[in-house]
Amino acid sequence: MLLEAKNLSFSYEKPIIKNLDFCAQGGEIISIMGVSGSGKSTFLHLLSSFLKPQKGKVSLFNLDIYSLPQDKLLTLRRKKIGMIFQSHYLFLGFSAYENLQVASILGEEKIDESLLKLFSIAEVLDKNVGALSGGQQQRLSIARILTKKPQIIFADEPTGNLDRETAMNVMESLFSYVKTSNSLFIFVTHDPLLAHKASRAYKLENATLKALK
């Protein structure tokens, strides 16, 4: 089991997650939907090591992540966990290739030529990030994260800034990578069409997860 959460609870003014059990394994694609303010991003951050739960335990790779020393947690994030955001967070003064090089050095992995083809960015590697379209920037951002070959990928509205056609193309490329690498992919979305493409789809509502039909 790559991910296991037990008795997870977190509140702000009201409960976001309450006594939730959740588990997932390699090869799964899991979507999380919910109205604005329901706590989708909070839930993702709880699972991904960026927000400690007020109650309960989160285990990744059979490690209780919130009990790990900081240096071991940082190593886990750098080598085994990928986090994709709605904004690309690329280095704007760098070329596309230089952005990939940074990820390659930090993750101690070579740049994978198959990723360049999968995300259709091989032809723009010499261009400055600022000269790329929004779709190209997001594809580059995702390829940069996947360069380190993470075993678990979390994504918070990864295509929220893209038009529907571009969003679908980007997500299909991500799905293809996940199936090929047998990694785990958990993503938050407002798009029901994207959500239902997952192997498991949920809605976060009233501090718990409900399976989407």
Side-chain angles (χ1 to χ4, degrees):
M1 198 69 62
L2 287 185
L3 183 155
E4 186 173 18
K6 290 184 177 180
N7 204 28
L8 207 61
S9 293
F10 193 90
S11 301
Y12 288 116
E13 292 83 8
K14 62 178 183 178
I16 300 295
I17 296 292
K18 189 173 181 180
N19 302 327
L20 180 69
D21 292 334
F22 182 81
C23 61
Q25 57 192 359
E28 286 195 286
I29 297 171
I30 300 171
S31 65
I32 312 290
M33 290 193 70
V35 298
S36 295
S38 62
K40 302 182 300 296
S41 295
T42 298
F43 180 53
L44 204 67
H45 291 159
L46 290 168
L47 296 181
S48 60
S49 82
F50 290 95
L51 181 63
K52 187 175 181 177
Q54 292 159 343
K55 190 174 99 173
K57 185 172 94 169
V58 179
S59 296
L60 301 180
F61 314 102
N62 295 313
L63 297 171
D64 181 354
I65 56 173
Y66 293 108
S67 295
L68 289 176
Q70 190 65 17
D71 60 334
K72 290 189 177 180
L73 181 58
L74 290 174
T75 299
L76 195 70
R77 287 176 185 162
R78 191 173 73 246
K79 291 183 174 292
K80 292 189 174 185
I81 300 170
M83 190 78 186
I84 302 168
F85 298 97
Q86 185 170 337
S87 299
H88 57 70
Y89 295 113
L90 295 167
F91 299 113
L92 294 179
F94 288 40
S95 69
Y97 185 71
E98 286 167 336
N99 269 273
L100 292 174
Q101 277 185 312
V102 171
S104 174
I105 292 167
L106 292 176
E108 299 176 344
E109 292 280 355
K110 292 182 179 179
I111 295 172
D112 189 340
E113 296 290 332
S114 65
L115 280 179
L116 308 183
K117 294 176 182 176
L118 180 63
F119 287 92
S120 303
I121 55 172
E123 68 278 5
V124 300
L125 291 181
D126 60 337
K127 290 187 178 181
N128 188 282
V129 166
L132 304 181
S133 69
Q136 288 171 330
Q137 288 176 339
Q138 190 65 340
R139 289 199 296 271
L140 172 62
S141 173
I142 294 170
R144 183 179 67 171
I145 290 160
L146 299 184
T147 292
K148 64 181 181 180
K149 294 182 169 50
Q151 291 174 261
I152 304 178
I153 305 156
F154 299 96
D156 194 355
E157 294 280 357
T159 58
N161 290 329
L162 306 177
D163 62 77
R164 169 60 70 81
E165 183 179 356
T166 303
M168 285 295 175
N169 289 338
V170 168
M171 291 301 284
E172 288 295 346
S173 296
L174 254 172
F175 294 159
S176 177
Y177 172 85
V178 170
K179 290 170 185 173
T180 302
S181 63
N182 199 40
S183 51
L184 168 62
F185 181 36
I186 302 175
F187 69 100
V188 163
T189 184
H190 277 105
D191 189 330
L193 189 59
L194 274 178
H196 281 95
K197 286 183 174 289
S199 48
R200 282 198 274 158
Y202 295 95
K203 183 177 183 180
L204 183 55
E205 188 176 49
N206 298 325
T208 192
L209 287 179
K210 298 179 179 178
L212 286 176
K213 296 180 180 179

